[in-house]
Amino acid sequence: IFDLGNVLVGFDRAKIMERLGTAIGCGPEEFQRRYELADIEDRLERGHISPEELHGWFRSQGFDGSFGEFRTVWSDNFHELEPVSRIFTALKGEVRVLILSNTNKLHYEFLSEKFPFLRQADKAVLSYELGLRKPEAEIYRAALKGAGDILPQEAVFIDDLKANIEAAAAIGINTILLDKPEDLKPRLYSFLSREPVCL
């Protein structure tokens, strides 16, 4: 079970805040303040705000572009983390491969178009579809159910955030806290009965 951001695709939050601030005519600190004051991230990742409503909020903050322009500014801030994506692709067909992500509809649809390997997942368990976010226990249970009602000890969850890893471990899921993409292969291999041919 792979997290998405900074596991399969990388991003720099500070640079994103700068880009979004520039788009509405303010600095990154001021954008971050407005973003947090409006509680955008939590509501968006729970599916409580539609993409059109998000665009409307940006327009209220000074953005004057179309929805299509906004979609690009909002979403085109990621790059593929190839040491992990290669493993993700190699595992497909050997074991069930899932994505478990706190994300929003605009990001996930954009990323699935830009990085086709994401569409190879057997299941994508997405916060905005469930109204749940990591590290809430129920979203991990939803991932186990999505993997075929497997037991926690039959799964390995890979994430870059300690709180998310601890929450998964608390319900019995094997975990890997990923600091460097290139470190995943030997750590993941220890959980597998055999190494996939292409891994």
Side-chain angles (χ1 to χ4, degrees):
I1 304 173
F2 291 79
D3 177 37
L4 182 58
N6 282 332
V7 172
L8 290 168
V9 296
F11 70 94
D12 183 323
R13 186 177 181 87
K15 289 181 179 179
I16 292 175
M17 292 295 108
E18 183 175 0
R19 186 180 189 195
L20 296 176
T22 298
I24 66 171
C26 71
E29 294 84 5
E30 174 60 16
F31 176 81
Q32 182 78 38
R33 186 190 69 80
R34 297 185 197 181
Y35 187 72
E36 291 177 357
L37 188 64
D39 196 25
I40 296 295
E41 189 163 298
D42 185 72
R43 293 192 293 145
L44 188 63
E45 292 187 348
R46 292 185 189 276
H48 296 167
I49 305 174
S50 70
E52 293 75 18
E53 288 169 330
L54 181 64
H55 178 223
W57 181 79
F58 266 77
R59 287 185 62 83
S60 76
Q61 302 302 305
F63 182 75
D64 62 359
S66 68
F67 181 79
E69 291 168 331
F70 167 70
R71 181 177 184 265
T72 299
V73 170
W74 174 255
S75 301
D76 198 9
N77 300 295
F78 298 84
H79 58 277
E80 182 175 346
L81 294 177
E82 293 187 359
V84 182
S85 67
R86 285 196 298 269
I87 292 171
F88 180 93
T89 301
L91 287 171
K92 177 66 178 171
E94 300 277 351
V95 295
R96 279 167 286 186
V97 178
L98 281 75
I99 294 170
L100 172 57
S101 179
N102 288 350
T103 190
N104 60 83
K105 183 177 175 67
L106 274 177
H107 275 169
Y108 194 74
E109 290 181 352
F110 186 94
L111 292 173
S112 294
E113 293 169 9
K114 184 172 181 178
F115 306 112
F117 79 90
L118 296 175
R119 300 198 295 269
Q120 297 181 36
D122 292 296
K123 177 77 174 176
V125 180
L126 308 173
S127 63
Y128 74 88
E129 293 183 339
L130 299 176
L132 300 167
R133 296 179 77 207
K134 296 176 292 182
E136 295 165 8
E138 284 307 310
I139 199 167
Y140 301 100
R141 294 192 178 100
L144 295 174
K145 184 178 178 69
D149 271 331
I150 63 172
L151 297 172
Q153 59 267 31
E154 295 178 294
V156 182
F157 173 58
I158 304 151
D159 200 291
D160 64 309
L161 297 179
K162 185 178 180 182
N164 294 340
I165 287 293
E166 289 175 344
I171 65 169
I173 297 174
N174 299 296
T175 60
I176 296 174
L177 178 61
L178 191 65
D179 296 316
K180 297 178 181 179
E182 57 271 20
D183 290 345
L184 177 59
K185 181 179 176 179
R187 297 175 67 189
L188 182 59
Y189 178 51
S190 69
F191 289 103
L192 301 175
S193 58
R194 63 184 179 85
E195 186 174 2
V197 174
C198 299
L199 189 58

